[in-house]
Amino acid sequence: MDLLTIGAFSRASRLSPKALRLYDSLGLLAPAHVDEVSGYRFYRPDQLERARLVAWLRRLGMPLARIGVVCDLARDAPDQAAKQVAAYWAETEADLAARRPLVDHLISYLSREEPVMPGTQPALGIRYAARSDIGRRRERNQDTAYAGRRLLAVADGMGTGGDQASAAVIEALKPLEGALPAGNLLNAMEDAVQQAGAAVRDLAASDPGTGSTLTAMLWSGSQLALVHVGDTRAYLLRAGELFQITHDHSVVQGLLDEGRITPEEAESHPQRSLLLQAIDGGAGAEPDVSLHDARADDRYLLCSDGLTAVVSAQVIRDTLSEPGDPEQTVGRLIDLANDAGGPDNIACVVADVVEAQPAAR
């Protein structure tokens, strides 16, 4: 049987040579022959059917790991492969429906619909609580949680000096508790992270590997400025829907983004604790910053992975939706993590946006 060059196979399958090389490395579509001298790949014509199936499934957005399952079933049990595709699409439609409220919110926010007349916007305030807990299996607590009248923050330390690093990171942000910084709030948050990096640098000099994550928000009276590095997280509960408003800087999140693993595989992946970014005194940290308009009845959660690694997003949503003030809610969340085994330290901050009470006359 005549073999096709990678170029000819690429044109016939509508898959780029780069994609074919990736699928080869993942064992999804291995070439029939690789030249020992040039390393050039060759494919059999009968591999085109599998290649086209891969291309179609990628157009659906199916993760590569799941595509491999479907392709293997298509060869020996096509009816089972069809059921896999149907199940994936049902999950996709459910996920799209769940994200619809966020889309509506973003459209309204970006188009500035329903403008508020001057003087009619209610004054807002926040009620908050913060707590960190050692968990059930750790000898030291390296998580730090803080909540004040302007600043909300959680930090998850790492390395032998992790407890000092997380505390130092939040101490570097505490000057923001004073008067609001002049100028751009996001610039102020980025500057504070640079100060935090300098503080950790001194610790890491004597304890290499020491560092910390950080997720923090600064309250301005109508908006919250968010800064984020690592895999601590921020969530927003609005109108009964829970939205994760940070993106993990982790190896596993990168694999998820590329479609190389499924969410189910991510939960038990051996590299789930490896970070792509942290505040460790080096020059590599590039914090994510964003600005969020506040609404009355919003509830924010900042937390470390000691919570999210063992408590599902659905349970977190249900817990945040229950009646109770921030202090009670923080206690419930930490109890849930400990009841699930408490394998790590836990840090939680809960803040409710409320209409400010008018001053007494």
Side-chain angles (χ1 to χ4, degrees):
M1 180 184 295
D2 292 335
L3 297 179
L4 299 175
T5 65
I6 190 171
F9 193 80
S10 171
R11 290 189 293 273
S13 64
R14 303 294 179 88
L15 291 171
S16 70
K18 181 179 180 180
L20 290 172
R21 286 189 286 270
L22 171 63
Y23 300 159
D24 178 19
S25 68
L26 297 175
L28 187 60
L29 186 60
H33 174 71
V34 178
D35 187 274
E36 295 181 358
V37 177
S38 66
Y40 213 64
R41 293 168 170 82
F42 295 88
Y43 296 82
R44 297 189 312 272
D46 61 9
Q47 289 182 281
L48 282 171
E49 183 176 358
R50 183 181 177 100
R52 288 167 180 152
L53 180 57
V54 170
W56 292 332
L57 294 172
R58 285 300 284 163
R59 288 184 65 185
L60 290 181
M62 184 178 286
L64 292 174
R66 198 158 179 175
I67 287 175
V69 173
V70 173
C71 288
D72 290 343
L73 288 171
R75 182 182 60 238
D76 302 319
D79 56 330
Q80 294 299 316
K83 289 180 180 179
Q84 285 284 332
V85 174
Y88 168 74
W89 193 246
E91 293 168 13
T92 300
E93 288 183 323
D95 181 56
L96 288 172
R99 285 188 282 172
R100 181 69 211 184
L102 177 59
V103 172
D104 293 339
H105 162 65
L106 290 173
I107 292 171
S108 175
Y109 169 71
L110 293 172
S111 60
R112 294 296 192 267
E113 292 178 359
E114 301 177 0
V116 177
M117 295 298 292
T120 64
Q121 174 69 42
L124 300 175
I126 55 171
R127 295 173 183 164
Y128 47 82
R131 184 176 148 197
S132 69
D133 188 271
I134 195 171
R136 296 283 174 82
R137 301 182 191 174
R138 299 293 177 127
E139 296 181 356
R140 291 187 301 158
N141 189 357
Q142 295 188 315
D143 284 7
T144 302
Y146 175 85
R149 66 190 187 94
R150 295 193 193 281
L151 180 66
L152 314 167
V154 294
D156 182 354
M158 64 195 75
T160 55
D163 51 344
Q164 299 175 65
S166 66
V169 163
I170 290 183
E171 282 296 323
L173 269 66
K174 284 186 179 179
L176 297 172
E177 277 279 37
L180 282 175
N184 189 294
L185 282 178
L186 298 182
N187 288 342
M189 293 292 271
E190 286 186 310
D191 291 344
V193 171
Q194 295 300 317
Q195 295 297 319
V200 173
R201 188 180 304 119
D202 294 337
L203 295 171
S206 56
D207 287 312
T210 293
S212 179
T213 68
L214 172 68
T215 301
M217 303 190 85
L218 183 64
W219 172 247
S220 73
S222 61
Q223 294 179 313
L224 285 153
L226 170 67
V227 65
H228 167 69
V229 181
D231 63 354
T232 39
R233 292 181 179 177
Y235 291 89
L236 166 63
L237 181 74
R238 173 172 286 172
E241 296 293 334
L242 184 67
F243 308 107
Q244 183 180 332
I245 56 175
T246 53
H247 194 73
D248 293 352
H249 300 145
S250 67
V251 170
V252 164
Q253 185 62 56
L255 294 173
L256 277 169
D257 293 343
E258 294 172 2
R260 296 193 181 201
I261 61 173
T262 65
E264 294 76 18
E265 290 171 327
E267 293 177 1
S268 58
H269 197 281
Q271 295 181 317
R272 62 187 180 279
S273 63
L274 294 182
L275 299 179
L276 297 176
Q277 286 202 63
I279 301 174
D280 56 8
E286 296 181 2
D288 294 337
V289 293
S290 54
L291 199 59
H292 300 262
D293 287 332
R295 293 185 186 177
D297 300 322
D298 283 348
R299 171 167 274 189
Y300 287 89
L301 166 67
L302 279 60
C303 60
S304 65
D305 64 346
L307 175 69
T308 55
V310 293
V311 181
S312 71
Q314 181 63 45
V315 172
I316 290 174
R317 188 200 73 82
D318 293 344
T319 305
L320 291 173
S321 301
E322 292 174 0
D325 61 26
E327 187 71 43
Q328 293 170 317
T329 304
V330 164
R332 290 175 189 147
L333 291 168
I334 289 177
D335 287 346
L336 285 168
N338 280 324
D339 289 345
D344 201 352
N345 307 145
I346 312 144
C348 293
V349 172
V350 171
D352 291 343
V353 179
V354 297
E355 291 191 17
Q357 297 298 315
R361 295 186 178 181

